Amino acid sequence: MAGTRTETEPLRIAGRELHSRLLLGTGGFRSLDLLAESIRASGSELATVALRRVELPSTVGQPGGGAAAGNGGVAAPGAAAGGSRGALIDVLDAEGVEVLPNTAGCFTARDAVITAKLAREAFETDWIKLEVIGDEDTLLPDAPELLKAAERLVDDGFVVLPYTTDDPVLARRLVDVGCAAVMPLGAPIGSGMGIRNPYNIALIRESVQVPVVLDAGIGTASDAALAMELGCDAVMVASAVSRAQDPVAMAAAMRAAVQAGHLAHGAGRIPRKTYATPSTPVVGMPDFS
Amino acid sequence: MIVLNGQQREHHAGEAVAALVDSLGLPAQARGVAVAIDGEVVPRTDWETYAIPDGARVEVLTAMQGG
């Protein structure tokens, strides 16, 4: 069946071809084994990671414990912590997914830009999922800071994928400063509320020429399918999979939903009408009177 | 003294970033590790030669599940 319309076109972001239209967040998985299995079930080729402080060996923080410094011989306490975190990268490498670092937790353009530069050093990638958060309770993006950070990072050669609101005007501004894609939210991060403003998501799809990746808010497979039916080019999920009762099964469900929604969007749905239209011809009906 | 990841830490003059990273049990070429000093990124290529100044605020970061 190669070449038929039941095969989905690859997604292209900044010249890179992705055959899966599902991006996976690595946050919230109970174990790295579960993460690995979920990656396989999702078929995803791109997974987000955060940057956080290396855990220090317990002696290092104490005055007089500085013997650890410089000689490289004292590693044990920190090696375990650092090692388990480092293992995340090993898992992603082993599963063949590319790392998409994020700036999660940054509240200012300045912090996000520094974090992005550190991520570029750490992961040897110019790609950054840019998050600049404005509010701790909703984790909604801070639009002015986001735009400022996006502009600086694009100027510095980054491929910027900003986590943004469902505002079509802001999405256009982000593209105007050179973002390679936009990632509008369906609902607040981790809320599982689905797509609260589907009309805005459709408007964003119409108003920009770069890929639109629905990010945040997805609760279950039908939300992901809806995003694709609205014309989104891809969907990003994290909590919806990692915090599901069976993450691996939900990863498989998301994969199927994204494919189904993408196909349905391409197929062109019938218009909505209030009254019925018979699917069986009326002509040729027998008369039983 | 320096402040390493928010904790006071003893420090000897001339200690290079590479030595500090090594002392934390991270492999020298550790992928997924990045270092900032006083809010500026220290490129990996400078780790061997960059001497950490006394009083520096040093952040050593690595990959963590997120997003």
Side-chain angles (χ1 to χ4, degrees):
Chain A
M1 295 289 282
T4 69
R5 279 179 294 172
T6 56
E7 300 213 345
T8 56
E9 284 284 301
L11 167 66
R12 285 183 187 80
I13 302 178
R16 184 190 288 177
E17 233 176 57
L18 295 167
H19 295 277
S20 166
R21 289 172 178 270
L22 182 60
L23 280 61
L24 192 64
T26 58
F29 286 94
R30 293 191 299 275
S31 72
L32 288 176
D33 285 344
L34 210 47
L35 169 62
E37 262 194 273
S38 299
I39 289 171
R40 284 197 289 279
S42 74
S44 181
E45 296 164 63
L46 203 53
T48 61
V49 298
L51 263 187
R52 288 293 182 269
R53 284 172 166 171
V54 169
E55 282 180 42
L56 302 179
S58 52
T59 54
V60 171
Q62 298 160 5
N71 60 24
V74 184
S84 66
R85 288 185 173 192
L88 171 61
I89 292 297
D90 297 337
V91 165
L92 299 180
D93 285 348
E95 296 304 327
V97 289
E98 295 279 342
V99 171
L100 175 59
N102 67 26
T103 62
C106 291
F107 280 78
T108 63
R110 180 180 176 273
D111 283 1
V113 167
I114 295 170
T115 303
K117 289 178 179 176
L118 286 164
R120 178 161 66 182
E121 282 294 316
F123 306 117
E124 292 155 11
T125 174
D126 290 334
W127 285 43
I128 190 77
K129 185 192 166 198
L130 178 62
E131 299 183 29
V132 188
I133 300 305
D135 177 77
E136 280 184 19
D137 295 322
T138 62
L139 299 179
L140 289 170
D142 183 316
E145 291 292 305
L146 179 67
L147 196 56
K148 202 189 302 176
E151 194 163 15
R152 287 183 197 164
L153 290 171
V154 169
D155 286 348
D156 199 11
F158 281 89
V159 172
V160 180
L161 291 76
Y163 164 63
T164 181
T165 60
D166 58 10
D167 175 357
V169 177
L170 178 58
R172 209 166 56 224
R173 290 293 190 94
L174 288 163
V175 174
D176 286 346
V177 300
C179 291
V182 286
M183 303 184 69
L185 58 86
I189 294 169
S191 69
M193 290 285 283
I195 300 174
R196 298 197 300 185
N197 195 337
Y199 302 99
N200 272 27
I201 298 298
L203 278 177
I204 289 173
R205 178 55 290 171
E206 282 176 30
S207 62
V208 299
Q209 300 298 313
V210 299
V212 176
V213 183
L214 197 288
D215 182 17
I218 299 286
T220 186
S222 54
D223 297 330
L226 174 60
M228 298 305 289
E229 287 170 5
L230 290 168
C232 290
D233 301 275
V235 170
M236 160 125 197
V237 289
S239 309
V241 168
S242 67
R243 299 188 206 280
Q245 286 186 25
D246 183 343
V248 179
M250 188 58 89
M254 291 297 179
R255 176 187 201 161
V258 166
Q259 285 176 345
H262 185 58
L263 284 170
H265 178 71
R269 59 154 299 146
I270 61 168
R272 290 180 174 84
K273 287 184 296 188
T274 306
Y275 295 101
T277 302
S279 54
T280 309
V282 185
V283 292
M285 281 291 289
D287 182 357
F288 298 122
S289 56
Chain B
M1 296 292 278
I2 59 171
V3 180
L4 173 62
N5 288 1
Q7 291 184 27
Q8 293 276 335
R9 181 187 191 280
E10 283 189 11
H11 164 73
H12 62 81
E15 184 183 17
V17 170
L20 175 70
V21 169
D22 190 49
S23 76
L24 297 176
L26 299 163
Q29 293 306 314
R31 185 166 165 257
V33 177
V35 177
I37 294 183
D38 294 329
E40 296 289 335
V41 180
V42 181
R44 187 173 293 262
T45 47
D46 294 348
W47 283 8
E48 287 291 341
T49 54
Y50 193 113
I52 303 169
D54 198 43
R57 288 174 299 109
V58 183
E59 295 284 342
V60 181
L61 308 178
T62 192
M64 197 177 122
Q65 287 174 243

